[in-house]
Amino acid sequence: NPDPKPCERGPSRAVSLGSLTDLLNTFSDFIQDRTAYYLDSNITQPLTMSHQLSFAELVGPKLVTFFVSHFWGTPFRHFVATLSHHAKSFAGDFGGNA
C-alpha cells in the first residue's frame, strides 16, 4: 500500500487473503511454524509502529466476503493454508472473490 492511512473500524477494514499470503511468503524464513503470537510481536507490530496504524490499514483495508475469527496459537502457515482452501472451495460461488 503506497499510501497507508487510518480508516473507520468495521467490515471494510479487513485483511485480504492475498495480504496474508504475501505476509507469509515475505517473512516465511522467520515465521516457519510459529503462531500469530510470534507474528504480532515480531513482525506486524514493528511494521505498523512507525505509521501508528493497524496491519489492515498498512496493507490496504478490504471489504471481504467472509469474516474469520481464529485462535492465535495455530501455526500461521496452517491458518493461511486453511483460508486458501476455503477460498478455493467457494471461488465459483463468488466469482473468485472469496
Side-chain angles (χ1 to χ4, degrees), residues 23-54:
L23 179 66
L24 177 60
N25 291 337
T26 301
F27 294 99
S28 64
D29 289 344
F30 299 100
I31 297 170
Q32 300 176 14
D33 283 328
R34 293 182 171 112
T35 69
Y37 292 112
Y38 172 86
L39 187 74
D40 181 51
S41 59
N42 293 282
I43 297 175
T44 55
Q45 283 189 28
L47 285 173
T48 60
M49 192 177 305
S50 66
H51 297 282
Q52 293 294 298
L53 298 172
S54 70

Side-chain angles (χ1 to χ4, degrees), residues 12-95:
S12 61
R13 189 173 106 170
V15 178
S16 70
L17 175 56
S19 292
L20 293 175
T21 302
D22 289 346
L23 179 66
L24 177 60
N25 291 337
T26 301
F27 294 99
S28 64
D29 289 344
F30 299 100
I31 297 170
Q32 300 176 14
D33 283 328
R34 293 182 171 112
T35 69
Y37 292 112
Y38 172 86
L39 187 74
D40 181 51
S41 59
N42 293 282
I43 297 175
T44 55
Q45 283 189 28
L47 285 173
T48 60
M49 192 177 305
S50 66
H51 297 282
Q52 293 294 298
L53 298 172
S54 70
F55 182 72
E57 292 166 322
L58 184 68
V59 298
K62 304 284 187 239
L63 179 61
V64 295
T65 305
F66 292 97
F67 170 81
V68 178
S69 179
H70 64 97
F71 171 54
W72 277 34
T74 301
F76 185 68
R77 73 174 57 255
H78 294 176
F79 174 62
V80 173
T82 300
L83 292 178
S84 295
H85 177 75
H86 176 78
K88 288 175 187 171
S89 70
F90 281 94
D93 295 336
F94 293 96

